[in-house]
Amino acid sequence: MDHKPSHSSPQRPGDIILNRYMPAATGEEREAARENLREFAVVVVGIAKRLAREESEQAKEILGELKALIEFESP
């Protein structure tokens, strides 16, 4: 049984992945997998945000050090 959405029905988050890797899944299996995908995405986005924040903090520290060097060297 194919659960791909018809062209008239809107796609829901995760449909592309579910259609590709679980084409024969029941509606219940698809919903469980969709929730797992959502939880995974939340974790991945959280990691990406943390990494971006850490990189931003490091960049600010480096800029501060560069500014201090420039001010120290200025006549």
Side-chain angles (χ1 to χ4, degrees), residues 8-75:
S8 61
S9 66
Q11 280 201 324
R12 295 178 56 207
D15 277 347
I16 293 172
I17 294 170
L18 296 174
N19 293 343
R20 168 83 175 165
Y21 295 104
M22 299 179 68
T26 65
E28 190 173 293
E29 290 170 332
R30 286 177 69 84
E31 289 310 309
R34 190 181 317 278
E35 179 59 24
N36 287 337
L37 285 170
R38 189 195 69 74
E39 290 174 5
F40 177 71
V42 167
V43 170
V44 170
V45 168
I47 291 169
K49 285 181 177 180
R50 188 194 76 223
L51 289 172
R53 186 172 47 251
E54 288 174 359
E55 288 177 4
S56 175
E57 290 168 2
Q58 285 179 332
K60 286 177 184 176
E61 289 176 19
I62 291 170
L63 287 173
E65 291 174 13
L66 288 171
K67 184 178 177 184
L69 284 172
I70 291 169
E71 290 173 355
F72 178 75
E73 299 280 329
S74 296

Side-chain angles (χ1 to χ4, degrees), residues 1-5 19 22-25 30:
M1 181 185 237
D2 193 359
H3 289 280
K4 291 181 182 178
N19 293 343
M22 299 179 68
R30 286 177 69 84

